[in-house]
Amino acid sequence: MSVLAALAAHYDRLERCHDVVPFGFTRERITFGLVLSTDGEAVACDDLRLGANGQSHGRPMTVPRSFKRSGIKPPPFFLWDNSRYVLGLGRPADGSEPRAYADRAAAFRDWHELLFDGTDDPGLLAVRCFLRSWTPERFGQAPFSPALLDRTIVFRLAGDTDADGRPRFLHDRPAARAVWESHASDGDRPEAVCLVSGVTAPTARLHPAIKGVSRARKTGASLVSFHQAAFTSHGKRQGDNAPVSEAAAFRYGAALNALLAPGSRATLRIGDTTTVFWADAAVHGETAARRVEALVTAALRPTGPPDPVRDGNDRRQAGRSWDWLGVPSAAQAVGLGIDPDIGVHILGLAPNGPRLSVRFWQELTAGALLDRLSAHWGDLRLEPPAWKTPPSPAALLYALARQGRPETIPPQLAGELMRAILTGHRYPRSVLTAVLQRLRAGDPIDGPRAALCKAILQRDARLYRRRTTDPSTGPNKGVPVKVTPLAGGLLTSARHSSSLATTALPSSDGRSLQQDTPPVPPEPVPPPSLPPHRSPAPTPVDMESEIERISGEWFKALR
């Protein structure tokens, strides 16, 4: 299933839970509400901002849908917009005195005049009277203030309330919804077979803006866009090159924006990659799906910089324990209370100017996810472990930081590392290169760096044995992987330092585990004899034995 098709299907689940808005509407942050009398006079202004002064933001509200605007005459929104459209006033980019935007105010007024034609609703008539009589010169009078400039504004009829007695805004009145729903469904776009749903329907010219991706534009970025002539064909433009119906585009956009919304528990941010995930609830139900999503959160949640001995987190986390290694995924699923057959979708997004890049996309079952996490943690494990509990992907990246500063971590490595964990493929060699660069720069040789090097080399060797097709380099002929003394020494040094440190760890009853006698250093390994000066036949190479042999030599040299 494609990314768009999976997101469109996830919309149905969110709609059942009332977590998304209906077709034709969107979720926006509104800062002010203009209260109108029945004759169109502004009598008050509701401050809808949330948060402390200086960091306030608008209140999330369901309003008629927004869209991307461009050109010299961008169109307005219905019954809400920023002050440049509603009042015809705003501040320039240089922050100087307010200036008038007469063309945008006129477009806002003419647009609502057209949609309100024939209505007899008192609220809509009040908005029309206000727009007809409004002039920027009245901005200095009450209830207007400079705080409204460049902020989003909605309308409310004085004294109007909903069934619960709460103030009701004009876009929530039944007459306003009827006007907008009739307009939203009456498009003039050509019809084509939708690549997502397979039905013939009006196609979307522009796809919805996706908001909430870390380091992307705050106004939203496009997951699908055609912005240059090189991307067009057969005279088609914009979304006609890859037709997706307006309904399907809205569904996937609403689902993705809901996953990325502030406070969402289905979002993880690691480096420059924002990861969203969800589970299928159509077969196994909502409760089972949420349990799987909780497992993904527990296993991949970013943590702080790890300590080689104590990671500062003594709590046992579901799905993150060394005890799970070697346990079949079915038994793990039973222990965690989840169904291993539930489908899981994991999507990684990164900013790319006005658009979004897909760093990875994985569809798998909960059981397969447990298998790949166990394989990943097994590759990382040392004896004694470099971490008290299996580390999160974000914790691994701290081994690449210069002088322990997380801002120096190469951001693109997050997506590459996460892709390798989820797919079970090779770790990015750039991670090994980055670790070795830190060591050459004088950073300490600790357990996490040793574990990373060991995991990369061990997985490469395992996958090479499995996939090789050349009999001259098959499992019986050895693995052509060169292990340097530095990489081998990392393992022994980390294991020895971890052994020294763990002797001072407190036990569960509070007593110290410090030994009375110092730990016995490892026995030196005699150096290997040099091979004769001839070309011997290839002999099998045991990767683990080779690492241990070189580790012993390197550690002996250090002593």
Side-chain angles (χ1 to χ4, degrees):
M1 187 180 296
S2 68
V3 176
L4 302 189
L7 286 169
H10 184 56
Y11 175 88
D12 295 333
R13 173 189 169 189
L14 297 176
E15 190 177 31
R16 290 193 299 269
C17 299
H18 306 285
D19 292 334
V20 290
V21 296
F23 177 64
F25 291 82
T26 187
R27 197 80 169 165
E28 301 288 344
R29 291 189 175 275
I30 306 300
T31 51
F32 291 97
L34 203 56
V35 183
L36 305 178
S37 63
T38 54
D39 57 359
E41 288 294 326
V43 297
C45 185
D46 296 333
D47 191 343
L48 306 177
R49 291 176 293 184
L50 304 174
N53 293 334
Q55 297 183 351
S56 60
H57 51 271
R59 178 186 302 175
M61 190 177 298
T62 300
V63 294
R65 70 181 175 195
S66 60
F67 42 82
K68 290 177 286 188
R69 301 190 283 201
S70 61
I72 59 175
K73 293 183 178 180
F77 302 145
F78 181 64
L79 283 178
W80 74 278
D81 217 314
N82 61 57
S83 65
R84 300 188 181 190
Y85 287 86
V86 177
L87 304 177
L89 291 170
R91 292 188 185 276
D94 57 8
S96 58
E97 293 297 321
R99 58 167 289 191
Y101 293 85
D103 54 343
R104 300 189 181 186
F108 190 80
R109 181 185 62 248
D110 296 342
W111 171 242
H112 287 80
E113 287 274 7
L114 177 64
L115 294 181
F116 291 167
D117 185 33
T119 185
D120 57 356
D121 182 73
L124 302 184
L125 294 178
V127 174
R128 185 169 65 180
C129 293
F130 170 78
L131 297 177
R132 287 177 176 177
S133 61
W134 169 254
T135 59
E137 290 76 15
R138 297 172 54 189
F139 186 72
Q141 305 173 6
F144 303 101
S145 69
L148 276 71
L149 295 177
D150 297 324
R151 299 300 186 101
T152 49
I153 302 173
V154 294
F155 297 96
R156 181 169 69 86
L157 187 64
D160 188 21
T161 59
D162 58 14
D164 298 327
R166 296 172 297 186
R168 179 174 61 180
F169 295 98
L170 282 179
H171 57 265
D172 290 328
R173 291 176 64 88
R177 284 185 170 266
V179 169
W180 176 245
E181 290 172 357
S182 175
H183 170 77
S185 61
D186 185 19
D188 56 356
R189 294 286 301 152
E191 293 188 350
V193 177
C194 175
L195 298 179
V196 175
S197 63
V199 301
T200 301
T203 59
R205 186 179 71 90
L206 298 177
H207 285 244
I210 307 302
K211 302 178 182 180
V213 175
S214 179
R215 303 181 185 178
R217 291 185 175 182
K218 293 183 178 180
T219 56
S222 299
L223 186 59
V224 180
S225 67
F226 302 87
H227 65 291
Q228 292 181 358
F231 304 142
T232 62
S233 59
H234 302 286
K236 297 181 179 181
R237 303 184 62 185
Q238 299 288 1
D240 294 335
N241 290 278
V244 175
S245 67
E246 292 183 338
F250 170 80
R251 288 159 63 87
Y252 91 74
L256 186 52
N257 280 320
L259 292 170
L260 292 166
S264 172
R265 298 181 179 179
T267 303
L268 302 172
R269 289 177 175 85
I270 305 174
D272 71 338
T273 303
T274 301
T275 303
V276 295
F277 54 89
W278 66 96
D280 292 333
V283 177
H284 299 85
E286 184 68 24
T287 302
R290 291 190 181 273
R291 287 177 180 171
V292 173
E293 292 168 352
L295 166 68
V296 178
T297 302
L300 303 180
R301 180 193 297 115
T303 57
D307 182 90
V309 179
R310 296 177 64 91
D311 62 359
N313 183 7
D314 294 334
R315 295 181 306 167
R316 191 181 190 88
Q317 297 187 21
R320 191 183 289 181
S321 171
W322 294 118
D323 297 339
W324 288 119
L325 298 185
V327 180
S329 60
Q332 294 184 34
V334 172
L336 296 171
I338 64 173
D339 191 322
D341 297 327
I342 295 180
V344 184
H345 309 269
I346 306 177
L347 173 64
L349 301 172
N352 183 20
R355 286 161 293 281
L356 298 176
S357 298
V358 177
R359 283 293 176 87
F360 52 84
W361 165 243
Q362 277 294 302
E363 293 181 289
L364 67 171
T365 63
L369 177 62
L370 287 171
D371 286 337
R372 293 175 186 178
L373 289 174
S374 297
H376 164 64
W377 291 333
D379 289 336
L380 286 171
R381 186 167 187 177
L382 298 175
E383 285 297 341
W387 294 271
K388 193 177 183 68
T389 58
S392 68
L396 296 177
L397 296 176
Y398 281 94
L400 316 180
R402 293 196 300 269
Q403 299 177 352
R405 297 179 303 182
E407 63 272 12
T408 63
I409 300 174
Q412 71 278 6
L413 291 184
E416 298 175 7
L417 182 61
M418 184 73 82
R419 185 190 306 114
I421 294 172
L422 297 176
T423 60
H425 295 165
R426 294 175 58 178
Y427 293 110
R429 276 302 180 97
S430 52
V431 174
L432 179 60
T433 302
V435 173
L436 296 179
Q437 287 176 345
R438 299 313 323 140
L439 298 178
R440 294 191 183 103
D443 286 4
I445 302 177
D446 54 13
R449 291 190 173 97
L452 263 179
C453 293
K454 177 254 185 183
I456 295 171
L457 296 174
Q458 177 170 305
R459 179 167 290 195
D460 278 2
R462 184 176 68 252
L463 295 180
Y464 186 87
R465 287 193 182 100
R466 182 185 304 166
R467 299 178 182 178
T468 183
T469 56
D470 185 358
S472 64
T473 57
N476 296 327
K477 299 295 183 180
V479 181
V481 178
K482 181 179 180 181
V483 183
T484 65
L486 176 61
L490 285 172
L491 304 182
T492 300
S493 178
R495 293 172 182 175
H496 183 60
S497 61
S498 297
S499 299
L500 295 177
T502 50
T503 58
L505 284 177
S507 63
S508 58
D509 58 0
R511 294 182 292 107
S512 174
L513 298 182
Q514 179 69 42
Q515 299 178 0
D516 296 332
T517 58
V520 179
E523 296 182 1
V525 179
S529 59
L530 294 175
H533 294 282
R534 57 189 179 85
S535 300
T539 56
V541 177
D542 185 354
M543 190 66 180
E544 290 294 334
S545 300
E546 186 70 8
I547 292 177
E548 292 294 339
R549 181 185 65 82
I550 299 177
S551 300
E553 295 178 7
W554 188 85
F555 186 74
K556 179 181 178 182
L558 285 181
R559 298 183 61 198

